[in-house]
Amino acid sequence: MGVRGHYLRGMSTRRKVSLITLGCARNEVDSEELAARIEDAGWNLAEGADGAEGADVVVVNTCGFIEAAKKDSIDTLLAAHDSGAKVIAAGCMAERYGSELAEALPEADAVLGFDDYTAIGDRLDDVMAGRRRTAHTPRDRRTLLPISPVERSSSGMAIPGHAAVPGQDDLSGQDDLPDGVAPASGPRVLRRRLGGGPVAPLKLASGCDRRCTFCAIPAFRGAYVSRPPAEVLEEARWLAGHGVRELVLVSENSTSYGKDLGDLRALEKLLPGLAAVDGIERVRVSYLQPAETRPGLIEAICGTPGVAPYFDMSFQHASGPVLRSMRRFGDRERFLGLLDQIRALAPDAGVRSNFIVGFPGESEDDFEELAEFLSAARLDAVGVFGYSDEDGTEAASLDGKVDPAEVAARVEELTSLADELTAQRAEDRIGSDVHVLLEEKAEDGEFEGRAAHQAPEVDGTVRVRGAGLALGEIVAARVTGSDGVDLSASPSADLS
């Protein structure tokens, strides 16, 4: 490390960093990498907004996906500034907008891109010393960054060039990391768990090679890069050793896993190994692209012991013309056929999806086609989003924009239908047997958890009451009631 490194580490042992994570599960994994690097640099770490009190520096891992997420990121950065701490913007929004964000938001003492993660200790020292680092300048196109919460204007900016991929650095030759951060041997796990609990996301890959017209993710996350299977397995073992019982596999598109490694069946081959990790009782795959969901992958998810028969399908719409305009594939009949394939192998499989309504050119007939698909699909969880132009995307320049009032009306109508249909789907599960991972204990003695058809945070839950239950275990139970998408159940032992 050298004399300067030891000196700086000694200086910073009394300093405190608060790390706040916004956005998706992929950002959670990135934050746990940042947490490991921060602690390795000798800083005391506090997680979440509550830890900002008394912190010297607050690092906000921002989300830059849609307008609402960007506003939330800016509000969080401003609130962190009001705490009196130094403020660092990291994550997707910082990567996407770089120098423009730094100019528009001077309250941020630093705006760091993914390339800065490996040197986060140095960046923290720079901030504390008042050395302002110039944020990266994205290239290739001009866009407009909305900073409406603080009513500031901003200039244009461009897509980032090549950036580092969080969680995929070559760690060979580095000094050992602190206890609890990495295993003693084998592929390095650069991660420090935040929050604990029996569930953890496990990143399969970063980036995306698809070019959906409404999505800006490839612009700042870059091309699709799969993590080597050995590295994923080692991290799964590490997580199991830290109390994790369910792994949630995340990426921008999990069905693409392995294609850059020369093996389109890499995910099918990986799942049995992950499910066999000692201590792991459930593996869940998320972010599936319907056009790439192969029969072999369906068979692996439905037929591998320890893998949840759960399908997070990114349908987005069901009208063929709208999907083509989105530069996606499929239609109502093809999607229903895909669901039939899944349910032929696992009749009780959980399926969730998100949908965009009011996309440019969406007619009333297109909207009705989507509503008819939902009525026939019997999904367990549905997210409905109204289209709005996202800077830098192809869809922003498309003709046929739907009036915002009509978009809002369609969102309300489809959301109401989705709520009714998913509640009916939950009611249909009454009397069925489920396996529930117990995650929280309520004051009334009930436990709250999730069955195999329910993903963390985005889907419903199951409340279980019974003697001898413990957090972190998976219990067999029978569904006795429903409330919306949530279920109540009794342990099977109590029913005998």
Side-chain angles (χ1 to χ4, degrees), residues 387-399:
Y387 172 82
S388 61
D389 288 338
E390 179 62 26
D391 51 284
T393 62
E394 185 178 337
S397 62
L398 293 179
D399 295 330

Side-chain angles (χ1 to χ4, degrees), residues 4 37 43-44 66 83 106 128 183 188 215 256 333 349 368 391 395 399 448 488 493:
R4 178 178 180 274
R37 294 185 182 280
W43 291 72
N44 294 323
I66 59 176
S83 73
M128 289 301 296
R188 291 293 184 85
C215 182
S256 284
E333 293 305 318
E368 287 303 315
D391 51 284
D399 295 330
E448 185 172 277
S488 55

Side-chain angles (χ1 to χ4, degrees), residues 64-386:
F65 182 39
I66 59 176
E67 179 80 7
K70 289 182 280 189
K71 290 180 178 179
D72 186 31
S73 294
I74 292 170
D75 287 342
T76 303
L77 288 163
L78 290 173
H81 172 75
D82 291 342
S83 73
K86 302 284 188 179
V87 179
I88 291 178
C92 290
M93 189 176 183
E95 175 65 36
R96 184 177 182 183
Y97 294 110
S99 57
E100 184 183 349
L101 178 61
E103 180 181 349
L105 200 70
E107 288 88 347
D109 296 278
V111 175
L112 304 182
F114 297 148
D115 287 326
D116 291 299
Y117 283 22
T118 57
I120 186 64
D122 291 339
R123 301 295 171 264
L124 290 168
D125 289 327
D126 288 342
V127 165
M128 289 301 296
R131 295 187 292 269
R132 198 166 184 90
R133 180 176 176 82
T134 302
H136 71 276
T137 304
R139 299 175 292 278
D140 300 332
R141 68 171 172 81
R142 304 290 286 178
T143 63
L144 184 65
L145 170 64
I147 310 281
S148 52
V150 290
E151 298 181 351
R152 295 198 180 93
S153 61
S154 61
S155 58
M157 59 164 292
I159 294 180
H162 173 75
V165 180
Q168 297 185 5
D169 299 302
D170 180 6
L171 302 177
S172 58
Q174 292 193 6
D175 293 337
D176 287 341
L177 296 171
D179 290 341
V181 173
S185 62
R188 291 293 184 85
V189 177
L190 188 61
R191 185 166 179 173
R192 189 265 202 198
R193 286 217 71 198
L194 299 172
V199 184
L202 175 57
K203 187 186 288 188
L204 289 173
S206 291
C208 185
D209 286 342
R210 302 189 70 87
R211 292 296 181 266
C212 302
T213 57
F214 57 82
C215 182
I217 286 177
F220 55 90
R221 278 288 184 180
Y224 195 88
V225 181
S226 300
R227 299 179 66 195
E231 185 178 303
V232 177
L233 284 165
E234 184 61 39
E235 187 164 329
R237 287 188 281 268
W238 183 86
L239 288 167
H242 286 75
V244 172
R245 295 295 170 260
E246 177 177 322
L247 300 173
V248 181
L249 307 184
V250 300
S251 71
E252 271 72 30
N253 175 13
S254 296
T255 44
S256 284
Y257 178 72
K259 70 177 185 180
D260 54 324
L261 303 176
D263 187 356
L264 288 175
R265 297 188 64 249
L267 184 53
E268 291 98 305
K269 297 174 182 177
L270 179 63
L271 288 175
L274 289 171
V277 170
D278 188 27
I280 297 300
E281 298 187 54
R282 181 186 288 165
V283 178
R284 184 184 304 277
V285 185
S286 60
Y287 304 107
L288 300 175
Q289 167 63 242
E292 297 179 6
T293 302
R294 308 167 292 280
L297 179 57
I298 295 174
E299 292 170 5
I301 293 175
C302 292
T304 303
V307 175
Y310 175 84
F311 292 82
D312 177 12
M313 305 296 296
S314 178
F315 289 126
Q316 301 300 344
H317 212 280
S319 163
V322 174
L323 287 164
R324 302 301 175 273
S325 186
M326 291 177 171
R327 200 174 289 130
R328 297 175 69 87
F329 303 94
D331 53 38
R332 177 169 60 122
E333 293 305 318
R334 291 180 185 178
F335 290 165
L336 290 175
L338 183 59
L339 292 174
D340 286 342
Q341 291 180 51
I342 292 169
R343 288 167 177 153
L345 296 175
D348 292 329
V351 186
R352 72 158 286 115
S353 190
N354 294 323
F355 299 91
I356 298 173
V357 298
F359 191 80
E362 182 191 64
S363 66
E364 291 185 7
D365 287 344
D366 293 324
F367 180 73
E368 287 303 315
E369 183 86 352
L370 175 54
E372 290 175 10
F373 169 72
L374 275 186
S375 296
R378 295 167 48 238
L379 304 179
D380 292 277
V382 173
V384 179
F385 300 89

